[in-house]
Amino acid sequence: MRYNGKTRQQFLKELTAHTALLGAASLAPEQSHAGAIRKPPLIPQRPLGNTGRMVGIYSLGAQATVEQVGMKDQAVEIVNRCINLGINYIDTSAVYGQNGTAKKTPEMQGTSERHVGEVMKTRRNEVYLATKTHDRTYDGSMRLLEKSLKNLQTDHIDLWQIHNIKGGGKENIDQIFADDGVLKALQKARDEKIVTHLGITGHADPDPMRTIIERFPFDCALMALNAADKHYNPFIEKLIPTAVEKNMGIIGMKIPARDRIFSNGGIITMKEAMSYTLTLPVSTIIVGLDNIAELEENIRIAQEFKPLSEEEMVAIEDKVKPHHEHLMFYKGLSKWPKGWSGNNV
């Protein structure tokens, strides 16, 4: 395949050159201008686009155990341990909440925020906190924001995002930008300093997301990024270059595709999965967790991360190619197997 006349390796080389510009904070102690020794970050850090904030390259996606109804104690333990180990970016949503079954009820929504809020009531200043509205109207989103603030036990949100941008044509985009649309709510909340930064998220289709960030200067974009992306409607080619050009904070999700990337005999390891995405010009990646052991393993991978070569990235892409339809379930290529229980995202 050619990419505007380039080979895949050339395309990746040019794209990942932007990653080098982001840099990564050293884990060694640093000396301040005043001569004092500053405590080093526990996780390498990168700038979150043009927000002025530095975030660890590995962050918490508050799904999996954290969004499970009836698992408050386990969720609180995970969130606290994340912060203790150096995570300073937490992503949740007004809609996150489940009880391990396919059936979800309105009462479950907000479970993740409520569990995170149990920690935020005493540790709010230690993290950059992101949540989302899945409503596309002004009134509905403002009601959700009020609930999110209550659930999270805080008076401000660092990043408020439009949740799950999908395809569906011009009408859906026009709804977001309408006079009574969700973007008006985001702007109002920012003007009133209830939220600081604005973003969009999506995992199904990069095209409408690109259109949206071309129309409005959002601060951040959360998108699905893993080694299978290349093989169907790729965010890496269709959205990342525009987001880089606009100096947005780029957050990667679906890193192990809810553990499917380890199925079929183990396509690739978590180290390969994380290293592949972290070699891209992302500010951070978010991953859901089942338990503390997964967290500690992922922290070690982040601490030891070294960028992959273009040849190594292509080799990983080739490994997952035979399974890409299975891995691209979130883009509509396959349905969840009956009884599927994978949690990590």
Side-chain angles (χ1 to χ4, degrees):
M1 182 180 293
R2 307 292 293 188
Y3 301 84
N4 295 324
K6 304 181 183 74
T7 65
R8 180 66 176 180
Q9 285 89 342
Q10 288 171 330
F11 169 79
L12 289 172
K13 184 175 182 179
E14 292 182 9
L15 184 65
T16 57
H18 296 284
T19 312
L21 295 176
L22 290 175
S26 170
L27 294 180
E30 296 179 353
Q31 192 170 36
S32 71
H33 293 299
I37 300 297
R38 295 181 300 195
K39 186 177 179 180
L42 298 177
I43 302 172
Q45 295 184 347
R46 291 174 179 171
L48 185 64
N50 59 12
T51 65
R53 298 293 294 267
M54 296 290 291
V55 294
I57 60 174
Y58 174 77
S59 298
L60 175 64
Q63 289 190 267
T65 294
V66 180
E67 71 168 338
Q68 290 289 332
V69 174
M71 297 188 73
K72 174 182 172 182
D73 291 345
Q74 297 92 324
V76 169
E77 180 185 17
I78 286 174
V79 176
N80 271 314
R81 186 65 174 150
C82 282
I83 299 173
N84 292 343
L85 290 176
I87 286 177
N88 67 348
Y89 181 108
I90 295 176
D91 175 274
T92 182
S93 170
V95 77
Y96 289 165
Q98 60 167 301
N99 64 0
T101 68
K103 183 178 181 180
K104 297 185 180 182
T105 64
E107 291 76 20
M108 296 180 195
Q109 293 184 2
T111 299
S112 172
E113 288 186 334
R114 288 189 287 273
H115 288 165
V116 172
E118 288 298 312
V119 178
M120 291 300 97
K121 65 184 177 183
T122 57
R123 306 190 72 172
R124 176 67 184 88
N125 293 334
E126 296 181 64
V127 301
Y128 185 92
L129 185 60
T131 192
K132 313 177 188 78
T133 170
H134 53 281
D135 198 291
R136 294 297 188 259
T137 68
Y138 174 89
D139 290 340
S141 291
M142 292 303 281
R143 286 192 293 269
L144 283 178
L145 178 60
E146 185 177 354
K147 289 180 181 178
S148 291
L149 292 168
K150 180 179 179 181
N151 287 340
L152 291 165
Q153 303 194 48
T154 185
D155 60 0
H156 70 285
I157 304 296
D158 294 304
L159 175 62
W160 197 26
Q161 304 161 102
I162 303 174
H163 196 167
N164 196 14
I165 303 294
K166 299 180 180 179
K170 183 174 180 294
E171 294 78 11
N172 286 343
I173 294 176
D174 286 346
Q175 183 182 28
I176 290 171
F177 286 91
D179 289 340
D180 59 351
V182 58
L183 182 58
K184 293 294 183 183
L186 267 67
Q187 292 176 291
K188 176 73 170 177
R190 185 180 61 184
D191 291 345
E192 295 183 351
K193 302 189 185 306
I194 301 170
V195 305
T196 306
H197 301 121
L198 309 181
I200 62 171
T201 83
H203 53 66
D205 188 353
D207 291 320
M209 294 182 69
R210 186 180 65 247
T211 298
I212 288 169
I213 67 174
E214 286 173 341
R215 285 184 59 175
F216 183 84
F218 285 94
D219 300 294
C220 298
L222 168 61
M223 63 190 79
L225 295 172
N226 61 44
D229 178 78
K230 160 189 173 178
H231 303 296
Y232 181 75
N233 201 17
F235 284 86
I236 292 172
E237 296 163 36
K238 293 185 174 184
L239 186 56
I240 284 186
T242 303
V244 166
E245 180 184 343
K246 294 182 176 296
N247 194 26
M248 299 177 69
I250 300 173
I251 305 104
M253 62 174 165
K254 298 288 186 290
I255 311 306
R258 284 196 183 269
D259 287 351
R260 290 190 181 198
I261 213 160
F262 311 131
S263 62
N264 297 294
I267 307 168
I268 61 176
T269 64
M270 189 61 174
K271 182 175 182 179
E272 287 176 303
M274 286 178 57
S275 297
Y276 177 91
T277 306
L278 287 172
T279 301
L280 298 169
V282 299
S283 298
T284 189
I285 60 173
I286 59 172
V287 180
L289 298 163
D290 288 332
N291 51 57
I292 299 295
E294 289 178 354
L295 167 65
E296 293 176 346
E297 176 191 359
N298 295 347
I299 291 284
R300 285 193 294 272
I301 293 170
Q303 290 173 334
E304 297 169 359
F305 165 71
K306 290 182 173 53
L308 301 178
S309 68
E310 298 82 46
E311 291 75 18
E312 288 172 323
M313 294 187 75
V314 170
I316 292 174
E317 292 172 346
D318 290 344
K319 280 185 184 181
V320 304
K321 183 177 182 179
H323 313 286
H324 77 275
E325 291 188 7
H326 175 65
L327 300 174
M328 294 285 97
F329 66 91
Y330 52 83
K331 292 183 182 178
L333 283 190
S334 68
K335 295 182 179 179
W336 289 78
K338 186 176 181 180
W340 181 257
S341 60
N343 277 328
N344 291 339
V345 293

